[in-house]
Amino acid sequence: MMPRMCDLGEKLVVEIFKRVPITSLKAVRSTCKTWEAITKSWVVLGKKAADEFLLGFVKMNNKVYSLRYHQGDVSVQQVDLLNQLEISAVYHCDGLVLCVAKDLLKLVVWNPYLCQSRWIGPRGESFEASDIYAIGYSEDKNKKRDHKILRLVDDNCVAGPVLNVFRCEIYEMSSSDSSWRVLEEAKPKWEIDVHQRGASVNGNTYFFAHDRVDDIEPDADGSIPVDGVEDFLLCFDFTKERFGPRLPLPFHSFNEDCVTLSSFLRGDGDDEQLAALFGGCESSFFEIWLTLTLVEPDHVSWTKFLLVETGGPIFTSLHFQLSTYFGGSFFVDEENKVAVVFELDSYISISAPPPSQHTAFVFGQAGYIQSVNLGQALKLQHLSRYSGKHCQALLPPLVCSSSFRPTLVQVS
């Protein structure tokens, strides 16, 4: 039986409807009390009220939470509808949320607005821990959108024997046979590390990538030259179903540095752009860059949005540290010149630290503003994406969207 709108929880439903045009809201019917309360508040839930909030989703302790942001204040609420699932990753595009089940047996595409979901199985027995995913859409000349899921398989990025397997699979939400199809892709000269999560912009997904190490000429001693690995952006075009050319980044990173991507809405909300966070592992700062122009999929220009020095005494007391492989997810509020970075608090120098907390750190042009405790981080068992082995670890929160816009796309 399909869940009702009110099964999401009243706070989440209200936040979703704050971002929906009234003409679209009238197309949806519900008999729950939450709906009745909302329809009596059209004036309160107008465009001005909606613009004060950013709504997204975040994964913590293998569960999905809705995210609310308002003038530096961050709050989360667990999504009851997905309580029965343990989630290893969450992605978002165009009002649809893609969840990867921790057991690797299924994906779930969820439309929070319509309270619909679809369960998707793999081509074989299961998905792999090292798989890379994205959700996006193609668009025809009449602006009709066809939503799709990308699965990228590359055994070069994980431990164990290299079988030279590189494969791109596409799942079309509108397809009648509900099956994956394999794209004809030769093994490229680049690779995307398995911990990297792409960012969706206007239906396409951007990834941070670098030269495939196997293709780099080693030095005389057999080592890979440090400056010999180029890093760049790659855009997967869901209409053409292929990766575009290499796009420049405004920084150069090394293996232990933290690089994460995010998307945001500029102006009135029709201009979706890309943001990149870069934090050097041996430096006492991190910076966030925003795209000025993003002509998909072959042109990009950047401007520096934020530079935060992390070497002062205030950061020692904050216990703030970017996690190289799994942390550093963030979103930006361009209008108010604020960035929110999601991490675990870090008590490295304390012999008996208190329980770690999921934390949202809020930064502005002048530096640190405040931190918000989102709840205790649990040490849970997970399957390492690199080694393929089970281990226990504390994982930081991962935010998947700050530009959520409801959609009427049917997924069930």
Side-chain angles (χ1 to χ4, degrees), residues 171-188:
Y171 181 95
E172 291 190 55
M173 298 293 296
S174 62
S175 175
S176 57
D177 60 3
S178 299
S179 61
W180 295 88
R181 54 184 170 84
V182 179
L183 302 181
E184 296 296 329
E185 287 277 351
K187 194 166 187 176

Side-chain angles (χ1 to χ4, degrees), residues 51-80:
D51 286 347
E52 295 177 354
F53 293 87
L54 292 174
L55 179 65
F57 295 92
V58 60
K59 188 209 74 159
M60 299 189 302
N61 295 333
N62 295 336
K63 298 295 182 181
V64 179
Y65 291 75
S66 62
L67 170 69
R68 177 185 176 189
Y69 167 77
H70 177 50
Q71 296 182 350
D73 184 39
V74 182
S75 60
V76 295
Q77 180 184 9
Q78 189 168 341
V79 177
D80 294 336

Side-chain angles (χ1 to χ4, degrees), residues 224-263:
I224 300 297
V226 175
D227 294 330
V229 181
E230 180 187 1
D231 53 0
F232 41 85
L233 276 182
L234 286 175
C235 174
F236 184 82
D237 187 320
F238 276 91
T239 300
K240 298 178 180 178
E241 295 189 350
R242 65 172 183 244
F243 284 95
R246 300 182 179 196
L247 299 173
L249 288 163
F251 50 79
H252 179 61
S253 67
F254 299 98
N255 186 46
E256 300 297 323
D257 296 339
C258 178
V259 178
T260 56
L261 303 176
S262 181
S263 60

Side-chain angles (χ1 to χ4, degrees), residues 94-337:
D94 194 35
L96 299 182
V97 179
L98 172 65
C99 302
V100 182
K102 182 185 171 186
D103 61 13
L104 301 177
L105 296 177
K106 52 191 165 295
L107 308 178
V108 180
V109 177
W110 174 46
N111 184 332
Y113 179 30
L114 298 183
C115 247
Q116 294 180 353
S117 60
R118 180 188 297 190
W119 297 47
I120 301 169
R123 289 177 65 238
E125 293 183 357
S126 69
F127 297 104
E128 300 294 333
S130 58
D131 290 345
I132 296 171
Y133 299 94
I135 182 170
Y137 59 82
S138 59
E139 197 169 54
D140 63 20
K141 62 182 180 181
N142 297 319
K143 301 298 183 181
K144 182 181 178 181
R145 295 177 178 178
D146 183 11
H147 292 79
K148 305 175 183 180
I149 299 169
L150 168 70
R151 179 194 181 199
L152 178 62
V153 181
D154 187 355
D155 71 350
N156 195 70
C157 301
V158 297
V162 177
L163 304 176
N164 289 317
V165 174
F166 178 87
R167 186 173 70 251
C168 291
E169 299 177 5
I170 287 287
Y171 181 95
E172 291 190 55
M173 298 293 296
S174 62
S175 175
S176 57
D177 60 3
S178 299
S179 61
W180 295 88
R181 54 184 170 84
V182 179
L183 302 181
E184 296 296 329
E185 287 277 351
K187 194 166 187 176
K189 299 290 186 180
W190 49 258
E191 59 184 308
I192 301 169
D193 290 333
V194 297
H195 66 272
Q196 284 294 333
R197 304 166 67 251
S200 174
V201 178
N202 299 323
N204 296 326
T205 297
Y206 289 81
F207 293 96
F208 170 74
H210 56 80
D211 287 329
R212 190 172 290 271
V213 177
D214 292 349
D215 296 329
I216 298 175
E217 191 69 28
D219 289 334
D221 61 0
S223 62
I224 300 297
V226 175
D227 294 330
V229 181
E230 180 187 1
D231 53 0
F232 41 85
L233 276 182
L234 286 175
C235 174
F236 184 82
D237 187 320
F238 276 91
T239 300
K240 298 178 180 178
E241 295 189 350
R242 65 172 183 244
F243 284 95
R246 300 182 179 196
L247 299 173
L249 288 163
F251 50 79
H252 179 61
S253 67
F254 299 98
N255 186 46
E256 300 297 323
D257 296 339
C258 178
V259 178
T260 56
L261 303 176
S262 181
S263 60
F264 68 98
L265 296 175
R266 177 172 286 155
D268 293 333
D270 294 328
D271 183 15
E272 197 166 23
Q273 294 288 330
L274 188 67
L277 180 149
F278 166 65
C281 68
E282 296 181 353
S283 61
S284 57
F285 74 92
F286 72 86
E287 56 192 28
I288 294 177
W289 293 77
L290 307 182
T291 52
L292 280 174
T293 57
L294 192 60
V295 182
E296 298 171 337
D298 54 9
H299 176 74
V300 62
S301 63
W302 298 90
T303 181
K304 185 178 288 187
F305 176 67
L306 209 63
L307 173 65
V308 177
E309 301 286 346
T310 58
I314 186 171
F315 281 91
T316 303
S317 61
L318 276 179
H319 314 292
F320 174 83
Q321 181 176 346
L322 287 172
S323 170
T324 299
Y325 296 115
F326 300 106
S329 66
F330 71 103
F331 68 80
V332 298
D333 176 1
E334 185 182 31
E335 182 178 354
N336 294 304
K337 296 179 170 55

